[in-house]
Amino acid sequence: MRYFIIFLFSTLYVNAFSYAQQPNVILIVTDDQGYGDLGAHGNKEIHTPNIDHLYGESVHLTNFHVSPTCAPTRAAIMTGKYANSVGVWHTVMGRSLLYENEVTMADIFSHNNYKTAMFGKWHLGDNYPFSPRFRGFQEVLTHGGGGVGQTPDYWNNDYQDDVYLRNGEEEKVKGYCTDVWFRNALSFIETNKDQPFFCYISTNAPHGPLNVPTQYSKPYLEQGVPKGRAEFYGMISNIDDNLGVLRDKLTEWGIADNTILIFMTDNGTAYGAKFKDGLLASGYNAGMRGTKGSAYEGGHRVPCFFYWKGGQLSKIKDINTLTAHIDLLPTLVKMCGLTLPNKVKFDGTDLTEVLSNNKDIERILVGDSQRIEFPEKWRNSYTMKGNWRLVNNEELYNVSSDPGQAKNVIKVFPEIAQELRKGYEKNWKKQYKCFDRFPYIKLGTEYENPSTLTAHDWHVAEERMIPWNQKLIRKGGNGNGEWRVNFTQTGKYKISIQRYPKEANLPINTSAAVYHSEFKNYVLPAGKVFQITKGHLRVGDQVWEENISSENSKSITFEVNIPEGETTLSATLVEKNKNEVGAYYVYVEKL
């Protein structure tokens, strides 16, 4: 018995010691900030002292690549897999929903007894089972869709004093969006500073609309920076201030040395540079060609800094080997000594030896920007090995000698192009089997009832048919699509179809074009006034029709019996002249 007690005490001591030594992790991802949108990378206009200070004492992945747009990058970060293979190859059209069966970064940290939280932009699904509170995050404060003011977001949110979702419940908050995310992150960190935590701070800034307090844009305007870029840079300066406060607090709380701090961005710049005929026309892009959405280097090469003093990652060092967003999760698994909740095969590579010993990796990486219902081979693609880039299967560049990708050398180095083609083909074959799957929003569950469906997630033939932000909802454009849904129970459902969300409290046949913002006072073009007389609801092969009850009706409501199972759902508003438009918002409740 005495030996058993000694053994038990010894085991508890070892586990407690290991637990105390596990590093915290803070992952900061900003939105639409490119490689050149910080001072440390040579931008002479922008003022980013805190990001630059972090740069001065961290390890930099200088050849680090993400996807050219928001949601795909986030899917790759969260899973360690190529975004196309986990269902996320668009930012709308139901193709920004991360497949339900995927294991996320937060799932893994939670499995290892970390406290987990995210603050800001998720953009991988707003409904069950896709929203972050169902993907391993124990505490969540987020906006809807891919940005503040987009269709799934709370009506009239404009970056200041908005309504966000805290663990699924609406909450009115005070302050500017980025300040809110960081303030709540600090509260979470302070509460959990005595145990391992994973904190994901994913800012919607500096994504448009370019709403920013004048104190941040004014200095740039005064130095002659054009208005749009001045507001964009002002949003980044605000992020920079918040980073400074965060780092000061980590030091004050005595946890800075044992916290892995990663700073990165999600794609190339959106407003920091403009190109014409492939040449830089204005702004700064660190010598690269292309911006957000581009298959050229400027669309997907971004900053990525690692700081961890306790792990000997606190001195300035450049790592030039080819790396990517898919590498973050396997790297953190190794750094933090994590176990996996089940078998997961990452597409990415553990970079611990790369970061500590500058080990080189020979590999081929691929990326693309699809933005359609089903991916197409070679579409807006880039295939990479070292400093070689095969773009769209037609152009070859060596970015070490030609960083601006001005000289296509595919005829000079056909053997390299062929090697990259083979790498792409191998990757495509692996991803292709995932393309015919759909993510299904689950309805009638104990976790979310009622559920809100928005036009942001319509499956449609063309992207232009998607009213993805509230400005387009106000305009009242034509178009319709369908949602992929799973009725989890057979029974009666109440389904309300609407033009505006419930919180807008507006009749269907009303224009809501006038808009006031904290940062801008303006009147949008007059939105269309509908003359809706009836509505159609379709679930699978079943179709129902209801007349509008009055001119002041805010919705057309159906109570219908629906069998359980995966199916499609669409809703149509029909005008007096028989013109049809999709219902932008649909509320589904299991009775």
Side-chain angles (χ1 to χ4, degrees):
M1 181 67 177
R2 180 169 64 88
Y3 294 110
F4 173 76
I5 292 172
I6 292 172
F7 171 77
L8 179 62
F9 176 80
S10 174
T11 303
L12 287 172
Y13 176 78
V14 170
N15 286 343
F17 178 78
S18 299
Y19 181 81
Q21 295 302 305
Q22 275 188 295
N24 309 306
V25 177
I26 300 175
L27 172 60
I28 300 174
V29 181
T30 68
D31 196 357
D32 283 1
Q33 179 181 5
Y35 190 90
D37 296 328
L38 61 157
H41 284 170
N43 191 319
K44 303 300 183 185
E45 286 184 331
I46 201 167
H47 186 63
T48 52
N50 293 299
I51 299 175
D52 298 347
H53 181 72
L54 176 63
Y55 175 92
E57 55 181 13
S58 63
V59 176
H60 325 126
L61 299 175
T62 65
N63 196 3
F64 180 79
H65 298 263
V66 293
S67 303
T69 56
C70 319
T73 288
R74 285 163 171 73
I77 291 171
M78 283 295 117
T79 63
K81 299 180 181 181
Y82 284 113
N84 290 358
S85 66
V86 297
V88 182
W89 52 81
H90 206 336
T91 58
V92 291
M93 282 175 57
R95 292 306 190 176
S96 64
L97 280 61
L98 177 66
Y99 286 151
E100 179 184 1
N101 65 318
E102 295 298 333
V103 176
T104 72
M105 185 179 286
D107 287 329
I108 294 171
F109 275 109
S110 290
H111 177 72
N112 286 269
N113 298 315
Y114 273 66
K115 293 295 182 180
T116 60
M118 76 143 290
F119 304 95
K121 173 170 174 168
W122 175 240
H123 204 182
L124 296 175
D126 298 303
N127 295 97
Y128 179 75
F130 306 106
S131 65
R133 63 194 178 105
F134 304 118
R135 306 311 293 256
F137 289 102
Q138 299 151 15
E139 184 173 336
V140 174
L141 184 67
T142 186
H143 58 75
V148 171
Q150 292 191 9
T151 300
D153 198 29
Y154 193 87
W155 190 251
N156 278 344
N157 272 359
D158 67 356
Y159 290 50
Q160 181 74 28
D161 299 339
D162 291 335
V163 175
Y164 300 134
L165 291 174
R166 187 182 297 278
N167 303 323
E169 299 295 325
E170 293 171 358
E171 180 179 316
K172 178 79 171 177
V173 298
K174 287 288 186 182
Y176 184 64
C177 53
T178 305
D179 299 336
V180 169
W181 311 135
F182 275 87
R183 184 173 71 238
N184 280 270
L186 286 171
S187 177
F188 165 79
I189 292 168
E190 184 176 19
T191 300
N192 296 284
K193 65 181 184 295
D194 296 326
Q195 56 192 311
F197 63 80
F198 165 54
C199 183
Y200 177 37
I201 306 173
S202 176
T203 67
N204 58 292
H207 192 290
L210 301 176
N211 292 343
V212 63
T214 55
Q215 70 193 75
Y216 285 101
S217 57
K218 186 178 179 181
Y220 292 109
L221 291 169
E222 289 176 343
Q223 71 185 48
V225 177
K227 187 174 183 294
R229 195 159 77 241
E231 292 167 336
F232 179 68
Y233 284 172
M235 296 168 87
I236 295 171
S237 288
N238 173 263
I239 293 169
D240 187 84
D241 279 356
N242 277 287
L243 175 63
V245 173
L246 170 67
R247 298 200 71 196
D248 287 345
K249 284 296 183 181
L250 295 178
T251 300
E252 177 186 323
W253 294 329
I255 59 174
D257 291 356
N258 197 39
T259 297
I260 300 170
L261 176 61
I262 303 171
F263 175 86
M264 61 173 290
T265 74
D266 70 342
N267 47 243
T269 189
Y271 298 96
K274 291 184 178 179
F275 284 78
K276 185 175 182 180
D277 300 326
L279 299 175
L280 183 68
S282 63
Y284 178 78
N285 207 37
M288 296 183 296
R289 177 179 177 181
T291 57
K292 175 181 179 178
S294 173
Y296 295 107
E297 200 80 346
H300 48 85
R301 179 179 167 224
V302 300
C304 184
F305 308 154
F306 271 79
Y307 175 87
W308 179 24
K309 191 170 184 179
Q312 307 302 310
L313 299 178
S314 59
K315 293 182 179 179
I316 187 168
K317 181 170 65 172
D318 286 346
I319 303 292
N320 300 319
T321 194
L322 182 64
T323 54
H325 47 10
I326 55 176
D327 300 329
L328 292 179
L329 183 49
T331 301
L332 289 173
V333 167
K334 182 64 175 296
M335 280 183 165
C336 300
L338 307 179
T339 60
L340 302 180
N342 50 43
K343 288 185 178 181
V344 180
K345 189 172 182 181
F346 299 122
D347 292 325
T349 299
D350 166 26
L351 300 179
T352 51
E353 286 294 310
V354 174
L355 292 164
S356 58
N357 299 320
N358 213 348
K359 178 184 176 183
D360 194 23
I361 304 175
E362 185 155 316
R363 65 204 299 209
I364 291 177
L365 293 177
V366 302
D368 58 29
S369 181
Q370 293 286 339
R371 304 189 69 82
I372 50 178
E373 177 73 316
F374 298 101
E376 296 174 356
K377 204 172 194 180
W378 298 110
R379 180 182 174 90
N380 203 25
S381 66
Y382 47 97
T383 309
M384 307 178 288
K385 180 179 180 182
N387 290 310
W388 290 103
R389 305 289 183 265
L390 178 66
V391 177
N392 299 329
N393 193 27
E394 297 175 348
E395 305 166 34
L396 181 68
Y397 303 96
N398 187 323
V399 294
S400 61
S401 58
D402 179 21
Q405 293 175 287
K407 187 178 181 180
N408 180 5
V409 294
I410 197 164
K411 293 182 179 179
V412 182
F413 299 98
E415 70 286 354
I416 293 174
Q418 187 58 25
E419 180 186 6
L420 294 176
R421 286 191 184 103
K422 288 180 179 178
Y424 180 93
E425 292 281 1
K426 181 179 179 181
N427 183 275
W428 180 264
K429 185 177 179 180
K430 178 182 176 183
Q431 293 186 29
Y432 183 79
K433 59 186 177 183
C434 306
F435 297 161
D436 61 352
R437 294 172 54 195
F438 285 96
Y440 284 85
I441 297 170
K442 292 188 173 180
L443 304 174
T445 72
E446 61 180 303
Y447 306 106
E448 183 182 87
N449 190 39
S451 295
T452 304
L453 308 177
T454 78
H456 181 280
D457 293 329
W458 277 348
H459 290 269
V460 296
E462 297 181 55
E463 179 186 349
R464 64 180 179 82
M465 299 170 63
I466 293 284
W468 58 273
N469 64 48
Q470 293 175 17
K471 182 177 179 179
L472 295 173
I473 298 297
R474 295 171 193 276
K475 289 178 68 175
N478 291 339
N480 203 352
E482 64 182 20
W483 292 274
R484 294 278 173 159
V485 296
N486 181 353
F487 286 90
T488 58
Q489 301 179 62
T490 296
K492 181 169 282 190
Y493 287 82
K494 179 182 176 182
I495 302 179
S496 299
I497 69 175
Q498 305 187 185
R499 174 183 181 177
Y500 300 109
K502 284 184 175 179
E503 67 268 17
N505 199 30
L506 293 169
I508 290 174
N509 292 320
T510 298
S511 171
V514 179
Y515 180 57
H516 167 78
S517 164
E518 183 75 17
F519 307 111
K520 301 176 181 178
N521 294 292
Y522 55 83
V523 179
L524 294 173
K528 179 180 177 183
V529 177
F530 288 165
Q531 293 181 306
I532 302 301
T533 59
K534 59 186 176 182
H536 294 156
L537 171 68
R538 181 179 64 80
V539 176
D541 295 330
Q542 299 183 85
V543 179
W544 299 270
E545 180 180 300
E546 289 283 351
N547 293 325
I548 193 167
S549 58
S550 76
E551 276 296 310
N552 294 319
S553 294
K554 298 164 189 171
S555 66
I556 300 173
T557 299
F558 302 78
E559 289 192 9
V560 292
N561 290 306
I562 300 175
E564 68 175 340
E566 295 177 347
T567 186
T568 59
L569 184 154
S570 63
T572 305
L573 301 171
V574 184
E575 293 192 271
K576 184 163 40 177
N577 62 5
K578 298 186 179 180
N579 180 59
E580 297 184 352
V581 62
Y584 305 134
Y585 297 88
V586 173
Y587 296 87
V588 182
E589 181 180 6
K590 173 70 173 65
L591 298 177

